[in-house]
Amino acid sequence: MKNSKPTATSYFTRDRAWHPKAYAPGYKSSVLRAPTRPLIAIGNSLSETTGPAFGDDIIGPLDNDLTLNFARPGESAIGERILVHGRVLDERGQPVPKVLLEFWQANAGGRYRHKKDGYLAPLDPNFGGCGRTLTGDDGSYAFRTIRPGPYPWPNGPNDWRPAHIHISVFGQAFAQRLITQMYFEGDPLIPICPIVRTIADPAAIEQLTARLDMNSSAPMDALAYRFDIILRGSRSTLFENRPEGN
Amino acid sequence: MTNTPNAPLYPFRESPSQTAGPYVHIGLTPNACGIIGVYGEDLGTAMVTDATKGERITLELRVFDGGGAALKDVLVEIWQADAQGLYNSPAERRGNADLTFTGWGRRAADLETGVLRFETIKPGPIPFPDGRMQAPHINVWIVARGINLGLNTRIYFRDEAEANADDPVLARIEHSDRIETLLAKGAGGNYSLDIHLQGPRETVFFDI
């Protein structure tokens, strides 16, 4: 038997005080859906450091354009036209290339195309509300949509979600899997939202707030917002010589 | 200037998680929720083809809240090795996995019953970083309204008692009576497991 170096990469430990806690009673649904026993720490084996990859073949030409991908021919969704773009990086600042991002959101009036959404605001016949894209070699991504409206929800007697877009991200490992929400700079509903407030640290909330990016807007067409997404960093570099670097 | 005491050693922090919310289906299983025509099919629906090697199994999961109600709005992803214990992932460097097996599945619960049904294969064993073998298992990631950060757990198989007894992850569970919460039961390739988020039968969740 020969000695061999460990083969498994591992990822930076999640800071669970930076993330929202499971039990956050201001967000009532979390009360019965939060585990009460401590999580068992197991670190990363190959089960956690591998993960699915998706190829360009799954991405259709309109998948990253929510203004058009559900619209009737010659029409488009109603609302404030925006581009959302940014980069997916890890905690070392390295780009995370060729990973799948998926987006979903309400329409301009705050109504979701979902049979459980009974809000009075009408559906937009030209807006479905889902989109997806792969990051480029430099971790960059972009999609076009309309700015979603705020909507009321049955939590407190008068709670309203800020305008937000849900974002699902695959990294290169199942351990990096993440779902979050993107908010819009300057929205006064952000600091009073019970879901936002599941996050304790104001700097973490700021990290979920997209900034208006006039330099990336399309004149006479669409405003732009910049939103970078950070995934867990990898520990692999120091002792291992991987073909892709880190 | 990372040598400056107050400067962060690493430039960024992980984007904080937020709940997937009750309408997660719009983004992740749009066809199943009636948004037809945007994508050809929902990702993660088909894990196997006729050519996939290994023992075909079905896995029926339900997820319960602390009040004993099945979650009707939960979404679960599973990730597992092929029959040889290899992952269909660019990060797999031990060999070539069965390319007819994706290893990754995604389901939204049935809106009436809360059941999530996966058609897959029984995975092979996987080495732990220290070289010991892990028993066959499936990694599980659970998101839903009310879950602020996706929950990680694993499914093991009750009929792999010998391998389970030597599994280095199950061995980390100090209260060994809780191992039971991770064991899918079944016969004839049909397995089922109830996951309890909270309460006396609370499932073991992992910090990975």
Coordinates of all heavy atoms in Angstrom, one line a residue, chain A residues 14-16 18-21 27 29-37 40-42 44-45 47-48 50-51 102 112 114-115 130-131 177 179-181 183 207 230 232 242 244, chain B residues 11 13-19 23 25-26 28 39 65-66 71 73 77 79 87 89 93 104 106 111 134 137 139 145-146 148-149 154 172 178 197-198 202 205-208:
Chain A
R14 N -19.4 27.2 5.5 CA -20.5 28.3 5.4 C -20.5 29.0 6.8 O -20.5 28.4 7.8 CB -21.8 27.6 5.2 CG -22.2 27.6 3.8 CD -23.7 27.3 3.5 NE -23.9 27.6 2.1 CZ -24.5 26.8 1.2 NH1 -25.0 25.7 1.6 NH2 -24.6 27.1 0.0
D15 N -20.6 30.3 6.7 CA -20.8 31.1 7.9 C -22.3 31.3 8.1 O -23.0 32.1 7.5 CB -20.2 32.5 7.7 CG -20.3 33.4 8.9 OD1 -21.1 33.0 9.8 OD2 -19.7 34.5 8.9
R16 N -22.8 30.4 9.0 CA -24.3 30.3 9.2 C -24.8 31.4 10.1 O -26.0 31.5 10.3 CB -24.6 28.9 9.8 CG -24.4 27.9 8.7 CD -24.7 26.5 9.2 NE -24.5 25.5 8.1 CZ -25.4 25.1 7.2 NH1 -26.6 25.6 7.4 NH2 -25.1 24.3 6.3
W18 N -23.9 34.5 9.1 CA -24.1 35.5 7.9 C -25.4 35.2 7.1 O -26.1 36.0 6.8 CB -22.8 35.4 7.1 CG -22.8 36.1 5.8 CD1 -22.9 35.6 4.5 CD2 -22.5 37.5 5.6 NE1 -22.7 36.6 3.6 CE2 -22.4 37.8 4.2 CE3 -22.2 38.6 6.5 CZ2 -22.2 39.0 3.7 CZ3 -22.0 39.8 5.9 CH2 -22.0 40.0 4.6
H19 N -25.6 33.9 6.9 CA -26.8 33.4 6.3 C -27.9 33.6 7.3 O -27.7 33.7 8.5 CB -26.7 31.9 5.9 CG -25.9 31.6 4.7 ND1 -26.3 31.9 3.4 CD2 -24.6 31.2 4.6 CE1 -25.4 31.5 2.6 NE2 -24.3 31.1 3.2
P20 N -29.2 33.6 6.8 CA -30.3 33.6 7.8 C -30.3 32.3 8.6 O -30.0 31.3 8.1 CB -31.5 33.7 6.9 CG -31.1 33.3 5.5 CD -29.6 33.6 5.4
K21 N -30.8 32.5 9.8 CA -31.0 31.3 10.7 C -32.2 30.6 10.2 O -33.1 31.2 9.6 CB -31.2 31.7 12.1 CG -30.0 32.4 12.7 CD -29.2 31.4 13.5 CE -28.1 32.0 14.5 NZ -27.6 33.3 14.1
Y27 N -40.6 35.8 10.3 CA -41.1 35.1 9.0 C -41.8 33.8 9.5 O -41.2 32.8 9.8 CB -39.9 34.8 8.1 CG -40.2 34.0 6.9 CD1 -41.4 34.0 6.3 CD2 -39.2 33.2 6.3 CE1 -41.6 33.3 5.1 CE2 -39.4 32.4 5.2 CZ -40.6 32.5 4.6 OH -40.9 31.7 3.5
S29 N -43.6 31.4 8.4 CA -43.5 30.0 7.9 C -42.3 29.3 8.4 O -42.2 28.1 8.3 CB -43.4 30.1 6.3 OG -44.6 30.7 5.8
S30 N -41.3 30.0 8.8 CA -40.0 29.3 9.3 C -40.2 28.6 10.6 O -39.4 27.7 11.0 CB -38.9 30.3 9.4 OG -39.0 31.1 10.5
V31 N -41.3 29.0 11.3 CA -41.4 28.5 12.7 C -41.5 26.9 12.8 O -40.9 26.3 13.6 CB -42.6 29.2 13.4 CG1 -42.9 28.5 14.8 CG2 -42.2 30.7 13.6
L32 N -42.4 26.4 11.9 CA -42.6 24.9 11.9 C -41.7 24.2 10.9 O -41.8 23.0 10.7 CB -44.1 24.6 11.6 CG -45.0 24.8 12.8 CD1 -46.5 24.5 12.4 CD2 -44.7 24.0 14.0
R33 N -40.9 25.0 10.2 CA -40.1 24.4 9.1 C -38.6 24.5 9.4 O -37.7 24.2 8.6 CB -40.4 25.0 7.8 CG -41.9 24.7 7.4 CD -42.2 25.2 6.0 NE -43.5 24.7 5.6 CZ -44.0 24.7 4.3 NH1 -43.2 25.2 3.3 NH2 -45.1 24.2 4.0
A34 N -38.3 24.8 10.7 CA -36.9 25.0 11.1 C -36.5 23.8 11.9 O -37.1 23.5 13.0 CB -36.7 26.2 11.9
P35 N -35.4 23.0 11.6 CA -34.9 22.0 12.5 C -34.5 22.6 13.8 O -34.0 23.7 13.9 CB -33.7 21.4 11.7 CG -33.9 21.8 10.3 CD -34.7 23.1 10.3
T36 N -34.8 21.8 14.9 CA -34.4 22.3 16.2 C -33.1 21.7 16.7 O -32.5 22.2 17.6 CB -35.5 22.0 17.2 OG1 -35.8 20.6 17.2 CG2 -36.8 22.8 16.8
R37 N -32.8 20.5 16.1 CA -31.5 19.8 16.6 C -30.4 20.4 15.8 O -30.6 20.9 14.7 CB -31.6 18.3 16.3 CG -32.9 17.6 16.8 CD -32.8 17.3 18.3 NE -31.9 16.3 18.6 CZ -32.2 15.0 18.9 NH1 -33.5 14.7 18.9 NH2 -31.3 14.1 19.2
I40 N -25.4 18.2 11.9 CA -24.2 17.4 12.1 C -23.2 17.8 11.1 O -23.4 17.7 9.9 CB -24.6 15.9 11.9 CG1 -25.8 15.5 12.8 CG2 -23.3 15.1 12.2 CD1 -25.5 15.2 14.2
A41 N -22.0 18.2 11.5 CA -21.0 18.7 10.6 C -20.3 17.5 10.0 O -19.7 16.6 10.8 CB -20.0 19.6 11.3
I42 N -20.3 17.4 8.7 CA -19.5 16.2 8.1 C -18.5 16.7 7.1 O -17.7 15.9 6.6 CB -20.5 15.2 7.4 CG1 -21.3 15.9 6.3 CG2 -21.4 14.5 8.4 CD1 -22.1 14.9 5.4
N44 N -16.8 17.9 3.6 CA -17.0 17.5 2.2 C -16.3 16.2 1.8 O -15.1 16.1 2.0 CB -16.4 18.6 1.3 CG -17.1 20.0 1.4 OD1 -16.6 21.0 1.0 ND2 -18.3 20.0 2.0
S45 N -17.1 15.3 1.3 CA -16.5 14.1 0.6 C -16.8 14.3 -0.9 O -17.4 15.4 -1.3 CB -17.1 12.8 1.1 OG -18.4 12.7 0.6
S47 N -19.1 13.2 -2.5 CA -20.6 13.4 -2.7 C -20.9 14.9 -2.7 O -21.9 15.3 -3.3 CB -21.3 12.8 -1.5 OG -21.0 11.5 -1.2
E48 N -20.1 15.7 -2.0 CA -20.4 17.1 -1.9 C -19.6 18.0 -2.8 O -20.0 19.1 -3.1 CB -20.2 17.6 -0.4 CG -21.2 17.1 0.6 CD -21.0 15.6 1.0 OE1 -19.8 15.2 1.0 OE2 -22.0 14.9 1.3
T50 N -18.6 17.1 -5.9 CA -19.0 17.0 -7.2 C -20.4 17.6 -7.4 O -21.0 17.9 -6.4 CB -19.1 15.5 -7.6 OG1 -19.9 14.9 -6.7 CG2 -17.7 14.8 -7.6
G51 N -20.8 17.8 -8.6 CA -22.1 18.4 -8.8 C -22.4 18.3 -10.3 O -21.5 18.2 -11.1
E102 N -30.8 30.2 -12.7 CA -32.2 30.2 -13.1 C -32.9 31.3 -12.3 O -32.5 31.6 -11.1 CB -32.9 28.8 -12.7 CG -32.3 27.7 -13.5 CD -32.6 26.3 -12.9 OE1 -32.0 26.0 -11.8 OE2 -33.4 25.6 -13.4
Y112 N -47.7 36.6 -9.6 CA -47.0 35.4 -10.1 C -47.9 34.5 -11.0 O -49.1 34.4 -10.7 CB -46.5 34.5 -9.0 CG -45.3 35.0 -8.3 CD1 -45.4 35.8 -7.1 CD2 -44.0 34.7 -8.7 CE1 -44.3 36.2 -6.4 CE2 -42.9 35.1 -8.1 CZ -43.0 35.9 -6.9 OH -41.9 36.3 -6.2
H114 N -48.9 31.5 -11.1 CA -48.9 30.3 -10.3 C -50.3 30.1 -9.7 O -50.8 31.1 -9.2 CB -47.8 30.4 -9.2 CG -47.5 29.1 -8.4 ND1 -48.4 28.6 -7.6 CD2 -46.4 28.3 -8.5 CE1 -47.9 27.5 -7.1 NE2 -46.7 27.3 -7.6
K115 N -50.8 28.9 -9.8 CA -52.2 28.7 -9.4 C -52.4 29.0 -7.9 O -53.5 29.2 -7.5 CB -52.7 27.4 -9.8 CG -52.1 26.2 -9.1 CD -52.9 24.9 -9.6 CE -52.2 23.7 -9.1 NZ -52.8 22.5 -9.7
C130 N -40.1 33.1 -15.9 CA -38.9 32.3 -15.6 C -37.9 32.5 -16.7 O -38.2 32.9 -17.8 CB -39.2 30.8 -15.5 SG -39.9 30.1 -17.0
G131 N -36.6 32.3 -16.3 CA -35.5 32.5 -17.3 C -34.3 31.7 -16.8 O -34.2 31.3 -15.6
R177 N -24.4 24.8 -3.9 CA -25.8 25.0 -4.4 C -26.4 26.1 -3.5 O -26.3 26.1 -2.3 CB -26.6 23.7 -4.2 CG -27.9 23.7 -4.9 CD -27.8 23.5 -6.4 NE -29.2 23.5 -7.0 CZ -29.8 24.6 -7.3 NH1 -29.3 25.8 -7.2 NH2 -31.1 24.5 -7.8
I179 N -29.8 29.2 -3.4 CA -31.0 30.0 -3.8 C -31.0 31.2 -3.0 O -30.8 31.2 -1.8 CB -32.3 29.2 -3.7 CG1 -32.4 28.2 -4.9 CG2 -33.5 30.1 -3.8 CD1 -33.6 27.3 -4.9
T180 N -31.2 32.4 -3.7 CA -31.3 33.6 -3.0 C -32.3 34.5 -3.7 O -33.0 34.1 -4.6 CB -29.9 34.3 -2.8 OG1 -30.0 35.4 -1.9 CG2 -29.3 34.7 -4.1
Q181 N -32.4 35.8 -3.2 CA -33.2 36.8 -3.9 C -32.4 38.0 -4.1 O -31.6 38.4 -3.2 CB -34.5 37.0 -3.0 CG -35.3 35.8 -2.7 CD -36.6 36.1 -1.9 OE1 -37.1 37.2 -1.9 NE2 -37.0 35.1 -1.2
Y183 N -32.6 42.1 -4.6 CA -33.5 43.3 -4.4 C -32.9 44.4 -5.2 O -31.8 44.4 -5.7 CB -33.5 43.6 -2.9 CG -34.0 42.4 -2.1 CD1 -33.1 41.6 -1.3 CD2 -35.4 42.0 -2.1 CE1 -33.6 40.4 -0.7 CE2 -35.8 40.9 -1.4 CZ -34.9 40.1 -0.7 OH -35.4 39.0 0.0
Q207 N -25.5 43.0 0.2 CA -24.9 42.1 -0.8 C -26.0 41.5 -1.7 O -25.7 41.0 -2.8 CB -24.1 41.0 -0.1 CG -23.2 40.3 -1.1 CD -22.2 39.4 -0.4 OE1 -21.7 39.7 0.6 NE2 -22.1 38.2 -1.0
I230 N -21.8 35.5 -5.1 CA -20.6 34.9 -4.6 C -20.9 33.5 -4.0 O -21.8 33.4 -3.2 CB -20.0 35.7 -3.5 CG1 -19.9 37.2 -3.9 CG2 -18.6 35.2 -3.1 CD1 -19.1 37.5 -5.1
R232 N -19.3 29.7 -2.3 CA -18.3 29.3 -1.4 C -17.0 29.1 -2.1 O -16.9 28.6 -3.2 CB -18.7 27.9 -0.8 CG -19.9 28.0 0.1 CD -20.4 26.7 0.5 NE -19.5 26.0 1.4 CZ -19.8 24.8 2.0 NH1 -20.9 24.2 1.6 NH2 -19.0 24.3 2.8
R242 N -4.2 21.3 -9.8 CA -5.4 21.0 -10.6 C -5.3 21.6 -12.0 O -4.8 22.8 -12.1 CB -6.7 21.4 -9.9 CG -6.9 20.7 -8.6 CD -8.4 20.8 -8.2 NE -8.7 20.0 -7.1 CZ -8.8 18.6 -7.1 NH1 -8.7 18.0 -8.3 NH2 -9.1 18.0 -6.0
E244 N -7.4 23.0 -13.8 CA -8.1 24.3 -14.0 C -7.7 25.4 -13.0 O -8.3 26.4 -12.9 CB -9.6 24.0 -13.9 CG -10.2 23.9 -12.5 CD -10.0 22.5 -12.0 OE1 -9.0 21.8 -12.4 OE2 -10.7 22.1 -11.1
Chain B
P11 N -11.5 38.2 -0.5 CA -12.2 39.5 -1.0 C -13.7 39.4 -0.8 O -14.3 40.5 -0.7 CB -11.8 39.6 -2.4 CG -11.3 38.2 -2.9 CD -10.8 37.6 -1.7
R13 N -17.6 37.5 0.5 CA -18.3 36.5 1.4 C -19.4 35.9 0.5 O -20.0 36.6 -0.3 CB -18.9 37.3 2.6 CG -17.8 37.9 3.4 CD -18.3 38.6 4.6 NE -18.7 37.5 5.6 CZ -19.0 37.8 6.9 NH1 -19.1 39.1 7.3 NH2 -19.3 36.8 7.7
E14 N -19.8 34.7 0.9 CA -20.8 34.0 0.1 C -22.1 34.9 0.1 O -22.5 35.5 1.1 CB -21.1 32.7 0.8 CG -22.0 31.8 -0.1 CD -22.4 30.5 0.6 OE1 -22.2 30.3 1.8 OE2 -23.0 29.6 -0.1
S15 N -22.8 34.9 -1.0 CA -24.1 35.6 -1.1 C -25.0 34.9 -0.1 O -25.1 33.7 -0.1 CB -24.7 35.5 -2.5 OG -23.9 36.2 -3.4
P16 N -25.7 35.7 0.8 CA -26.5 35.0 1.8 C -27.8 34.4 1.1 O -28.2 34.9 0.1 CB -27.0 36.1 2.7 CG -26.6 37.4 2.0 CD -25.5 37.1 1.0
S17 N -28.2 33.3 1.6 CA -29.4 32.6 1.1 C -30.6 33.3 1.5 O -30.7 34.1 2.4 CB -29.4 31.2 1.7 OG -30.6 30.5 1.4
Q18 N -31.7 33.1 0.7 CA -33.0 33.5 1.0 C -33.9 32.3 0.7 O -33.6 31.5 -0.2 CB -33.5 34.7 0.3 CG -32.7 36.0 0.7 CD -33.4 36.7 1.9 OE1 -34.2 37.6 1.7 NE2 -33.1 36.2 3.1
T19 N -35.1 32.3 1.3 CA -36.1 31.2 1.0 C -36.4 31.1 -0.5 O -36.4 32.2 -1.2 CB -37.4 31.4 1.8 OG1 -38.2 30.3 1.4 CG2 -38.1 32.7 1.5
Y23 N -43.5 29.9 -4.7 CA -43.6 29.8 -6.2 C -42.3 29.4 -6.8 O -42.1 29.7 -8.0 CB -44.1 31.2 -6.7 CG -45.3 31.7 -6.0 CD1 -45.3 33.0 -5.4 CD2 -46.4 30.9 -5.8 CE1 -46.4 33.5 -4.7 CE2 -47.5 31.4 -5.1 CZ -47.5 32.7 -4.6 OH -48.6 33.2 -3.9
H25 N -41.6 26.8 -8.1 CA -41.9 26.0 -9.3 C -41.8 26.8 -10.6 O -41.5 26.3 -11.6 CB -43.3 25.4 -9.2 CG -43.6 24.9 -7.8 ND1 -44.3 25.7 -6.9 CD2 -43.3 23.8 -7.1 CE1 -44.4 25.0 -5.7 NE2 -43.8 23.9 -5.9
I26 N -42.2 28.1 -10.5 CA -42.1 28.9 -11.7 C -40.7 28.9 -12.3 O -40.6 28.7 -13.5 CB -42.5 30.4 -11.4 CG1 -44.0 30.4 -11.0 CG2 -42.3 31.3 -12.6 CD1 -44.4 31.8 -10.4
L28 N -38.1 26.6 -11.4 CA -37.3 25.4 -11.4 C -38.1 24.2 -12.0 O -37.5 23.3 -12.5 CB -36.8 25.0 -10.0 CG -36.0 26.1 -9.3 CD1 -35.3 25.6 -8.1 CD2 -34.9 26.7 -10.2
Y39 N -39.4 26.3 -21.8 CA -38.4 25.3 -21.9 C -39.0 24.0 -22.4 O -40.2 23.7 -22.1 CB -37.7 24.9 -20.5 CG -37.3 26.1 -19.7 CD1 -37.3 26.1 -18.3 CD2 -36.7 27.3 -20.3 CE1 -36.9 27.1 -17.6 CE2 -36.3 28.3 -19.6 CZ -36.4 28.3 -18.2 OH -35.9 29.3 -17.4
D65 N -43.6 19.1 8.3 CA -43.3 20.2 9.1 C -43.4 19.8 10.6 O -43.8 18.6 10.9 CB -44.0 21.5 8.8 CG -45.5 21.4 9.2 OD1 -46.0 20.5 9.9 OD2 -46.3 22.3 8.7
G66 N -43.1 20.7 11.5 CA -43.2 20.4 12.9 C -44.6 20.2 13.5 O -44.8 19.7 14.6
L71 N -45.4 18.9 3.5 CA -45.2 20.1 2.8 C -45.7 19.9 1.3 O -45.1 19.0 0.7 CB -43.7 20.5 2.8 CG -43.2 21.4 3.9 CD1 -43.4 20.8 5.2 CD2 -41.8 21.8 3.7
D73 N -45.5 22.4 -0.9 CA -44.8 23.3 -1.8 C -43.3 23.1 -1.8 O -42.5 24.0 -2.2 CB -45.2 24.7 -1.4 CG -45.0 25.0 0.1 OD1 -44.4 24.2 0.8 OD2 -45.4 26.1 0.5
E77 N -33.9 18.4 -4.5 CA -33.0 17.9 -5.5 C -32.1 16.8 -4.9 O -31.8 16.8 -3.7 CB -32.0 19.0 -6.0 CG -32.8 20.1 -6.8 CD -31.9 21.2 -7.3 OE1 -30.6 21.1 -7.1 OE2 -32.4 22.2 -7.8
W79 N -28.7 14.2 -5.6 CA -27.4 14.0 -6.3 C -26.7 12.7 -5.8 O -26.6 12.5 -4.6 CB -26.5 15.3 -5.9 CG -25.1 15.2 -6.5 CD1 -23.9 15.2 -5.7 CD2 -24.7 15.1 -7.9 NE1 -22.8 15.1 -6.6 CE2 -23.3 15.1 -7.9 CE3 -25.4 15.0 -9.1 CZ2 -22.5 15.0 -9.1 CZ3 -24.7 15.0 -10.2 CH2 -23.3 14.9 -10.2
Y87 N -19.3 9.8 -10.1 CA -20.2 11.0 -10.3 C -20.1 11.5 -11.7 O -19.0 11.7 -12.2 CB -19.9 12.1 -9.3 CG -20.4 11.7 -7.9 CD1 -19.5 11.2 -7.0 CD2 -21.7 11.9 -7.5 CE1 -19.9 10.9 -5.7 CE2 -22.1 11.6 -6.3 CZ -21.2 11.1 -5.3 OH -21.7 10.8 -4.1
S89 N -19.9 14.3 -13.2 CA -19.5 15.6 -12.9 C -18.1 16.0 -13.4 O -17.3 15.1 -13.3 CB -19.5 15.8 -11.3 OG -19.0 17.0 -10.9
R93 N -12.7 12.9 -10.9 CA -11.4 12.6 -11.6 C -10.9 11.2 -11.4 O -9.8 10.9 -11.7 CB -10.4 13.6 -11.1 CG -10.7 15.0 -11.5 CD -9.6 16.0 -11.1 NE -10.0 17.4 -11.5 CZ -10.8 18.1 -10.8 NH1 -11.3 17.7 -9.6 NH2 -11.2 19.3 -11.2
W104 N -28.3 13.5 -11.1 CA -29.0 14.7 -10.5 C -30.5 14.7 -10.9 O -30.9 14.5 -12.1 CB -28.4 16.0 -11.0 CG -29.1 17.2 -10.5 CD1 -29.0 17.7 -9.2 CD2 -29.9 18.0 -11.2 NE1 -29.8 18.9 -9.2 CE2 -30.4 19.1 -10.4 CE3 -30.4 18.0 -12.5 CZ2 -31.2 20.1 -10.8 CZ3 -31.3 19.1 -12.9 CH2 -31.7 20.1 -12.1
R106 N -34.5 16.5 -9.9 CA -35.2 17.6 -9.2 C -36.7 17.3 -9.3 O -37.2 16.9 -10.4 CB -34.9 18.9 -9.9 CG -35.7 20.0 -9.5 CD -35.5 21.2 -10.5 NE -34.3 22.0 -10.1 CZ -33.8 23.0 -10.8 NH1 -34.3 23.2 -12.0 NH2 -32.8 23.7 -10.4
L111 N -48.8 18.8 -5.5 CA -49.5 19.9 -4.7 C -50.6 19.4 -3.9 O -51.1 20.1 -3.0 CB -50.0 21.0 -5.7 CG -48.9 21.9 -6.4 CD1 -49.6 22.8 -7.4 CD2 -48.2 22.7 -5.3
Q134 N -17.9 4.9 2.1 CA -19.2 5.3 2.6 C -20.2 4.3 2.0 O -20.0 3.8 0.9 CB -19.5 6.7 2.1 CG -18.5 7.7 2.4 CD -18.9 9.1 2.0 OE1 -20.0 9.6 2.4 NE2 -18.2 9.7 1.1
H137 N -25.4 6.0 -0.8 CA -26.3 7.1 -0.3 C -26.6 8.0 -1.4 O -25.9 8.1 -2.4 CB -25.6 7.8 0.9 CG -24.3 8.5 0.5 ND1 -23.1 7.8 0.4 CD2 -24.1 9.7 0.0 CE1 -22.2 8.7 0.0 NE2 -22.7 9.9 -0.3
N139 N -27.4 12.2 -1.9 CA -27.4 13.5 -1.2 C -28.7 14.2 -1.6 O -29.2 14.2 -2.7 CB -26.3 14.4 -1.7 CG -25.0 14.0 -1.0 OD1 -24.7 12.8 -0.7 ND2 -24.1 14.9 -0.8
R145 N -40.8 27.4 0.8 CA -41.3 28.5 1.7 C -41.0 28.1 3.1 O -41.1 27.0 3.6 CB -42.8 28.6 1.5 CG -43.5 29.5 2.4 CD -45.0 29.6 2.1 NE -45.7 28.4 2.3 CZ -46.3 28.0 3.4 NH1 -46.3 28.8 4.5 NH2 -47.0 26.9 3.5
G146 N -40.5 29.1 3.9 CA -40.2 28.9 5.3 C -38.8 28.2 5.6 O -38.4 28.2 6.8
N148 N -35.0 28.9 5.1 CA -34.3 30.1 4.7 C -33.0 29.8 4.0 O -32.4 30.6 3.3 CB -33.9 31.0 6.0 CG -35.2 31.6 6.5 OD1 -36.0 32.1 5.8 ND2 -35.3 31.6 7.9
L149 N -32.4 28.6 4.3 CA -31.2 28.1 3.7 C -31.4 26.6 3.4 O -31.8 25.9 4.3 CB -30.0 28.3 4.6 CG -28.6 27.8 4.3 CD1 -28.1 28.3 2.9 CD2 -27.6 28.1 5.4
R154 N -29.1 13.1 3.7 CA -28.7 12.0 2.9 C -29.8 10.9 3.0 O -30.4 10.8 4.1 CB -27.4 11.4 3.3 CG -26.2 12.3 2.9 CD -24.9 11.6 3.4 NE -23.7 12.3 2.8 CZ -22.5 11.7 2.7 NH1 -22.4 10.4 3.2 NH2 -21.5 12.3 2.2
R172 N -20.7 9.7 12.6 CA -20.6 11.0 13.2 C -21.9 11.3 14.0 O -21.9 12.3 14.7 CB -20.5 12.1 12.1 CG -19.2 12.1 11.4 CD -18.2 12.9 12.1 NE -16.9 12.8 11.4 CZ -16.5 13.6 10.4 NH1 -17.2 14.6 10.0 NH2 -15.3 13.4 9.8
R178 N -30.8 8.2 16.0 CA -31.3 9.1 14.9 C -30.9 8.7 13.5 O -31.4 9.2 12.5 CB -30.8 10.5 15.2 CG -31.2 11.2 16.5 CD -30.9 12.6 16.6 NE -31.6 13.4 15.6 CZ -31.2 14.5 15.0 NH1 -30.0 15.0 15.3 NH2 -32.0 15.2 14.2
L197 N -38.9 17.8 9.3 CA -38.1 19.0 9.5 C -37.9 19.3 11.0 O -36.9 19.9 11.4 CB -38.7 20.2 8.8 CG -38.9 20.1 7.3 CD1 -39.5 21.4 6.8 CD2 -37.5 19.9 6.6
Q198 N -38.8 18.8 11.8 CA -38.8 19.3 13.2 C -39.6 18.3 14.0 O -40.5 17.7 13.5 CB -39.5 20.6 13.2 CG -39.5 21.4 14.5 CD -40.3 22.7 14.4 OE1 -41.5 22.7 14.7 NE2 -39.8 23.8 13.8
E202 N -37.4 14.1 14.1 CA -36.6 15.1 13.3 C -35.5 14.4 12.5 O -34.6 13.7 13.1 CB -36.1 16.2 14.1 CG -35.4 17.3 13.3 CD -35.1 18.5 14.2 OE1 -36.0 19.0 15.0 OE2 -34.0 19.0 14.1
F205 N -30.0 16.6 9.7 CA -29.5 17.5 8.7 C -28.0 17.8 8.9 O -27.5 17.8 10.0 CB -30.3 18.7 8.6 CG -31.8 18.5 8.3 CD1 -32.7 18.5 9.3 CD2 -32.1 18.2 7.0 CE1 -34.0 18.2 9.0 CE2 -33.5 17.9 6.7 CZ -34.4 17.9 7.7
F206 N -27.3 18.0 7.8 CA -25.9 18.1 7.8 C -25.4 19.5 7.5 O -26.0 20.2 6.7 CB -25.2 17.1 6.8 CG -25.5 15.6 7.2 CD1 -26.3 14.9 6.4 CD2 -24.9 15.1 8.3 CE1 -26.5 13.5 6.7 CE2 -25.1 13.7 8.6 CZ -25.9 12.9 7.8
D207 N -24.3 19.8 8.1 CA -23.5 21.0 7.7 C -22.4 20.5 6.9 O -21.4 19.9 7.4 CB -23.0 21.8 9.0 CG -22.5 23.1 8.6 OD1 -22.5 23.5 7.4 OD2 -22.1 23.8 9.6
I208 N -22.5 20.7 5.5 CA -21.5 20.1 4.6 C -20.4 21.1 4.2 O -20.6 22.3 4.2 CB -22.2 19.5 3.4 CG1 -22.8 20.6 2.5 CG2 -23.2 18.4 3.8 CD1 -23.3 20.1 1.2

